[in-house]
Amino acid sequence: MRRPALRGLWRCAGSAPLTWGNTLRKTLRTLIAATSAAAVTGGLLAVAASPATAAPSGLQGDFNGDGYRDLAIAAPLAKVGGKSNAGSVSIVYGGKSGLNTAKSALIHQNTPGIPGAAEQGDMFGDTLAAGDLDGDNYTDLVVGVHADQVGKTDDSGSVTVVWGGARGLGSGTDLSSPLPDSRNAFGWDVAVGDFTGDGAADIAVLNGVFDGLHVFKGPISRKGVAEGRQDMDALGHDGVVDRIVAGEVDGRPGMELLALGHERGAVLTAGGKGLRRAGLVPGGYSAAIGDVDKDGYGDVVTGNFAEKSSDEPTGTLGGGITVSYGAMNGLSDRARVRINQDTKGVPGTAEKNDFFGWSVSAGDTDGDGYADVAIGAIGESIGKVKQTGTVTVLRGSAKGLTGAGAKSFAQSTKGVPGSDEAQDGFGYAVKLSDIDGDGRSELAASAFAEDKGAGAVWRFRTDKNGVTATGSASFNARTVGGVSGLSYFGSDLVN
């Protein structure tokens, strides 16, 4: 799941509550500097994972090789070493009981072995991606630091690879060469996948939203030197790329890359000479790729939370998602499906500024082989509580994605910790992944503005009927060794 990054948030003044309004879409490309609010000082204790006792699993999302997926959680406004908005990433390791908050680590630019130094406004971790970059069967973490100033130049942005190993994520390397001649918020978004079909994972990086897409050919050396680079204008006259998402669409060797703009998106398919455009999809601000109809091809789910207006021609009341079905050549000619909260079976009602589709993630929650889709609606109001947020899970089926059997969760749902509070933004990031190894994807969901911007993450279990509130739990940055106060903990969830 990839959500609109922190750079797209509403601004906040001091420590006052966030003001959410119709100006959001106008700020999506402009918020590079961090907010001026200061975070409360907290400890920076990193707790290492226990050493693995067997060969690494090679499982995607398994940073320590123990056979269970782990979860990386961004806190890009965390204070580090007295520097506000420097940013950090927490790692919570998985096991047979799911995420284990007692087994975690904290990573930032003051962590020994991580390049750079924590500086005010860097927002380390604003964008994240994961994959095995050096072929050692441990998943590595890619961290975009798009606000990092490069020396005394006008350039900004860096990308750091944090290497997985038997003790979990440890030392890091900056992607150093070759780099764009001019870095304009380099690391605006990042994605990992085999984009050339040669079996090695590559790194795709956005250099701002205006200067193009850069693909660094893997395997990536621990010296940070990529062997080759492909630069491309992914959307051409069809728009500006703001997000990139990797996934398997056409079932052939290699992986596809979705380059997503607000009005259009392009599916870029792998090939020996790099990526080429294989078709267009509706635009949006978030996306996921999963096989919702179990036909062997990945389907592209784009989320567009925007209201339809003169400058948002693809928007709809309250936001929505669109499913573009995959096929052997990249995209099927099958009719696309548009789903919002007025779709039959979907809980709730489409209302202005619900922001349904702010975040999306795909995974099989009930073990039936069909990918399901989790959708965050951070502007959803419940009763008189404004913009508290909800998460809806739609079920995949032989007919594709529909509203049948859909479920919705909020902090007021029975069994879910917490309570609905105004402007929490529950559903800011969502992630479906099988942490405990039972063949079903559990749900992790965040509320970035919980407790005045401290943020929190909820973990939901699954059963034969999919995601359930029974046994759900929540935790915040302090639970896993991070800082208290403003941090936007949970603004990205990756494995």
Side-chain angles (χ1 to χ4, degrees), residues 354-452:
D354 279 347
F355 300 144
F356 184 82
W358 174 272
S359 58
V360 296
S361 181
D364 181 5
T365 65
D366 56 3
D368 64 357
Y370 296 96
D372 309 309
V373 176
I375 305 160
I378 64 171
E380 180 80 20
S381 298
I382 298 177
K384 295 182 179 180
V385 183
K386 301 297 184 182
Q387 300 164 333
T388 184
T390 60
V391 175
T392 299
V393 181
L394 304 181
R395 304 286 290 275
S397 71
K399 296 180 179 180
L401 200 65
T402 70
K407 300 178 181 180
S408 185
F409 301 90
Q411 291 185 65
S412 57
T413 301
K414 183 179 180 181
V416 177
S419 59
D420 295 332
E421 297 171 310
Q423 299 180 335
D424 271 356
F426 182 74
Y428 183 81
V430 291
K431 182 63 179 177
L432 291 174
S433 59
D434 182 8
I435 301 292
D436 60 12
D438 68 353
R440 299 190 298 261
S441 292
E442 297 89 61
L443 170 66
S446 70
F448 79 107
E450 177 82 6
D451 295 334
K452 297 182 178 180

Side-chain angles (χ1 to χ4, degrees), residues 312-324:
E312 288 285 356
T314 60
T316 191
L317 179 63
I321 66 164
T322 303
V323 183
S324 301

Side-chain angles (χ1 to χ4, degrees), residues 134-489:
D134 56 358
D136 65 355
N137 288 321
Y138 294 100
T139 296
D140 310 305
L141 183 68
V142 179
V143 182
V145 197
H146 76 270
D148 191 10
Q149 293 299 307
V150 181
K152 297 181 179 180
T153 71
D154 291 331
D155 289 348
S156 66
S158 61
V159 173
T160 298
V161 177
V162 186
W163 303 103
R167 296 186 61 83
L169 291 171
S171 63
T173 304
D174 272 351
L175 189 63
S176 58
S177 177
L179 289 176
D181 295 332
S182 175
R183 281 190 272 180
N184 172 27
F186 182 68
W188 185 266
D189 202 5
V190 290
V192 173
D194 176 14
F195 304 128
T196 58
D198 64 357
D202 312 306
I203 301 177
V205 181
L206 278 183
N207 191 31
V209 293
F210 301 107
D211 295 334
L213 170 65
H214 308 274
V215 178
F216 298 90
K217 188 177 183 301
I220 306 299
S221 164
R222 291 205 174 209
K223 294 181 180 180
V225 179
E227 294 300 323
R229 187 183 93 210
Q230 177 188 4
D231 300 341
M232 65 182 304
D233 183 1
L235 294 181
H237 296 298
D238 293 308
V240 175
V241 179
D242 188 56
R243 303 218 54 78
I244 48 178
V245 177
E248 179 56 60
V249 176
D250 62 15
R252 295 181 294 186
M255 191 172 287
E256 281 65 58
L257 182 70
L258 173 65
L260 188 64
H262 299 170
E263 295 183 15
R264 294 286 187 276
V267 174
L268 309 175
T269 192
K273 296 183 178 180
L275 292 166
R276 60 178 178 81
R277 190 191 290 192
L280 295 175
V281 298
Y285 299 85
S286 61
I289 299 174
D291 186 1
V292 301
D293 57 0
K294 203 167 65 174
D295 66 352
Y297 302 108
D299 308 306
V300 179
V301 181
T302 53
N304 189 344
F305 61 84
E307 308 289 337
K308 189 172 184 179
S309 65
S310 59
D311 60 341
E312 288 285 356
T314 60
T316 191
L317 179 63
I321 66 164
T322 303
V323 183
S324 301
Y325 290 95
M328 182 178 296
N329 294 322
L331 288 174
S332 170
D333 57 5
R334 179 178 176 182
R336 296 186 176 109
V337 174
R338 180 78 170 172
I339 297 174
N340 68 0
Q341 287 184 290
D342 280 343
T343 301
K344 182 179 179 180
V346 177
T349 302
E351 300 166 311
K352 189 173 182 180
N353 293 329
D354 279 347
F355 300 144
F356 184 82
W358 174 272
S359 58
V360 296
S361 181
D364 181 5
T365 65
D366 56 3
D368 64 357
Y370 296 96
D372 309 309
V373 176
I375 305 160
I378 64 171
E380 180 80 20
S381 298
I382 298 177
K384 295 182 179 180
V385 183
K386 301 297 184 182
Q387 300 164 333
T388 184
T390 60
V391 175
T392 299
V393 181
L394 304 181
R395 304 286 290 275
S397 71
K399 296 180 179 180
L401 200 65
T402 70
K407 300 178 181 180
S408 185
F409 301 90
Q411 291 185 65
S412 57
T413 301
K414 183 179 180 181
V416 177
S419 59
D420 295 332
E421 297 171 310
Q423 299 180 335
D424 271 356
F426 182 74
Y428 183 81
V430 291
K431 182 63 179 177
L432 291 174
S433 59
D434 182 8
I435 301 292
D436 60 12
D438 68 353
R440 299 190 298 261
S441 292
E442 297 89 61
L443 170 66
S446 70
F448 79 107
E450 177 82 6
D451 295 334
K452 297 182 178 180
V457 172
W458 281 254
R459 48 184 180 176
F460 292 81
R461 299 187 183 280
T462 56
D463 57 25
K464 64 181 181 179
N465 296 314
V467 178
T468 176
T470 302
S472 59
S474 66
F475 58 95
N476 58 26
R478 288 302 301 269
T479 309
V480 291
V483 300
S484 60
L486 181 71
S487 70
Y488 288 177
F489 180 76

